[in-house]
Amino acid sequence: MWRLARAGGAAAAGARGGRLAVAAVSAAPSGGPGGWYEWLAQSAPVHWAEDGLVALQAAAGLPWWAAIVCGAALLRTAVTLPLAAHQSRLLAKLENLQPEIKKLAERLRYEVSVRGKQLGWSEKVARFHFKKNLRRIITELYIRDNCHPFKATLLVWVQIPMWVCVSLALRNCSVGATDSEVQEQFSAGGALWFTDLTAPDSTWILPVSLGLMNLLIVEIFALQKMEVSRFQKLATNFFRVVSVVMIPVAASVPSSMALYWLSSSFMGLSHNLLLRSPTFRRLCCIPRTKSDSDTPYRDIVSALSTKYGSKK
């Protein structure tokens, strides 16, 4: 079960599955004034995100492209990094529980077998009692160590709404839905090849970079040494497809949104790598597990080289 939670965390670090649907909506016309998209784009959380972006840009005195990058880094570091560390602590506790659960399951299987012979239980009845009592034991262990797998999904429930609100706030600013003055600033607030943040990136540099960044995140998660389930394999392939599909989606929205998505993914990758550092994990009080490595970065490079390097 902890492996399933770890797979969910990989999706979180990422939340790219939810991004695809939201990005498609962001790229679509807003529809009628009473449409659900219009309601979402004009909701209070989105306006709060707009006000926050404007306040950050005004306080820092940065050009808009830099304010967007700094905003993404600030949100990722102040909000999602602590949640990601909390998730890692939970997953480490769950992993360390597995030997105890396995031992208790073997003992329970023996006791149920003995009891079943005494009472004349059928195999189906014995299996029912085994599963029922095993679930109870596992739940008690989760409560004892305060590490229920559902708590590991908190990152996803925070990250996706935050990502949606900031994305819609940037779209509102880009199309002048709230303030035409901000839209004018956006039109001249870009840099390099994307000087106009209100227009899509015609060079596709931002969208392609976003797709490659998300693919790298997926592949790093896929390099875990432990045995993976069929569900995890399907989830990994799904996120690979999502990462590719996000490229044309990012190419159809204002550059401000594509820049934010790229910055957010870059920070997500950086934090994920940081959380693999033994020193940082100790600082975050993350329990050491059997699967931890003393040289995580060397292992990642070696695994990627072995998997994708030229074969002689």
Side-chain angles (χ1 to χ4, degrees):
M1 185 175 292
W2 74 272
R3 291 178 179 172
L4 181 58
R6 182 179 289 271
R16 287 175 296 280
R19 293 179 181 181
L20 179 59
V22 176
V25 170
S26 301
S30 59
W36 68 270
Y37 172 79
E38 184 66 21
W39 171 84
L40 182 61
Q42 298 303 323
S43 62
V46 174
H47 286 315
W48 295 338
E50 292 174 19
D51 294 341
L53 287 168
V54 172
L56 174 64
Q57 191 271 340
L62 298 170
W64 266 109
W65 70 268
I68 292 172
V69 173
C70 289
L74 181 63
L75 285 174
R76 278 286 194 168
T77 303
V79 180
T80 60
L81 179 57
L83 291 176
H86 174 66
Q87 182 188 67
S88 295
R89 280 194 294 272
L90 288 173
L91 295 178
K93 289 181 179 180
L94 288 169
E95 181 176 350
N96 290 335
L97 270 180
Q98 297 314 298
E100 185 175 357
I101 291 176
K102 183 178 179 181
K103 183 178 180 179
L104 290 174
E106 292 175 352
R107 180 178 176 182
L108 176 63
R109 183 176 287 107
Y110 171 76
E111 292 178 352
V112 169
S113 175
V114 172
R115 188 66 171 170
K117 290 179 180 179
Q118 293 175 346
L119 300 178
W121 288 347
S122 65
E123 182 179 348
K124 183 177 180 181
V125 173
R127 186 165 56 250
F128 167 78
H129 284 285
F130 170 76
K131 291 182 178 179
K132 177 182 177 181
N133 284 279
L134 182 60
R135 284 196 298 268
R136 176 182 55 80
I137 291 172
I138 292 176
T139 300
E140 291 174 353
L141 291 175
Y142 288 162
I143 295 174
R144 185 196 71 185
D145 290 0
N146 191 24
C147 61
H148 195 284
F150 183 77
K151 293 182 179 180
T153 66
L154 178 62
L155 175 61
V156 175
W157 297 114
V158 172
Q159 184 174 328
I160 290 181
M162 183 179 70
W163 186 89
V164 170
C165 288
V166 176
S167 296
L168 292 179
L170 287 170
R171 189 174 190 277
N172 286 347
C173 292
S174 298
V175 301
T178 54
D179 192 336
S180 58
E181 182 179 350
V182 174
Q183 182 187 21
E184 292 178 2
Q185 295 176 7
F186 265 52
S187 64
L192 302 175
W193 68 91
F194 55 98
T195 55
D196 185 356
L197 293 175
T198 66
D201 180 9
S202 59
T203 66
W204 283 56
I205 295 177
L206 290 177
V208 171
S209 299
L210 172 66
L212 293 176
M213 186 73 64
N214 287 337
L215 280 173
L216 180 58
I217 294 173
V218 174
E219 295 309 314
I220 288 178
F221 274 114
L223 292 176
Q224 54 186 350
K225 294 181 178 180
M226 66 199 69
E227 182 182 355
V228 295
S229 65
R230 183 171 179 270
F231 171 80
Q232 288 173 293
K233 291 179 181 179
L234 290 174
T236 299
N237 290 330
F238 171 76
F239 286 121
R240 284 176 177 143
V241 172
V242 169
S243 298
V244 174
V245 172
M246 280 294 292
I247 295 176
V249 172
S252 64
V253 299
S255 296
S256 59
M257 294 176 67
L259 177 62
Y260 167 66
W261 294 348
L262 177 60
S263 302
S264 181
S265 291
F266 176 78
M267 292 304 301
L269 174 62
S270 301
H271 291 163
N272 177 262
L273 293 175
L274 180 61
L275 283 167
R276 290 173 181 257
S277 165
T279 301
F280 189 76
R281 290 176 72 86
R282 285 194 298 271
L283 289 174
C284 294
C285 300
I286 300 174
R288 185 170 179 82
T289 66
K290 187 177 180 180
S291 63
D292 284 349
S293 170
D294 293 327
T295 57
Y297 307 122
R298 188 185 307 169
D299 294 344
I300 290 174
V301 173
S302 176
L304 288 174
S305 300
T306 301
K307 188 174 182 179
Y308 299 104
S310 57
K311 298 180 180 180
K312 297 182 179 180

